[in-house]
Amino acid sequence: MWEKSNLTLTEAAEYFNIGKHKLREITNNHKCNFVLFIGTKRLIKRKEFEKYLEQVSVI
């Protein structure tokens, strides 16, 4: 999974130890640059999300 560039919400929740509902809440913001929509499916851009996590102190 660490080799994948884009993760599903389930994979991202497991990889980053963050709940799926919290990830969905975060990605509802249209300004976030780490979400990729394919139709209604959301993928998390792993590297961009890692950069986002480095910048925030509270999720």
Side-chain angles (χ1 to χ4, degrees):
M1 186 178 341
W2 61 89
E3 296 176 359
K4 294 176 73 174
S5 59
N6 298 313
L7 304 171
T8 65
L9 287 180
T10 303
E11 292 171 338
E14 184 179 318
Y15 184 79
F16 292 108
N17 200 26
I18 299 173
K20 282 176 42 176
H21 296 289
K22 184 52 112 172
L23 285 172
R24 186 173 299 280
E25 180 183 317
I26 293 169
T27 58
N28 278 338
N29 184 349
H30 294 287
K31 294 181 181 180
C32 72
N33 62 346
F34 52 82
V35 66
L36 173 65
F37 284 96
I38 301 175
T40 59
K41 183 178 182 177
R42 299 174 199 221
L43 295 177
I44 304 293
K45 299 175 187 176
R46 186 179 50 83
K47 290 182 182 180
E48 285 82 355
F49 191 60
E50 287 173 348
K51 291 177 188 176
Y52 168 78
L53 290 176
E54 289 175 2
Q55 296 173 356
V56 297
S57 58
V58 176
I59 294 181

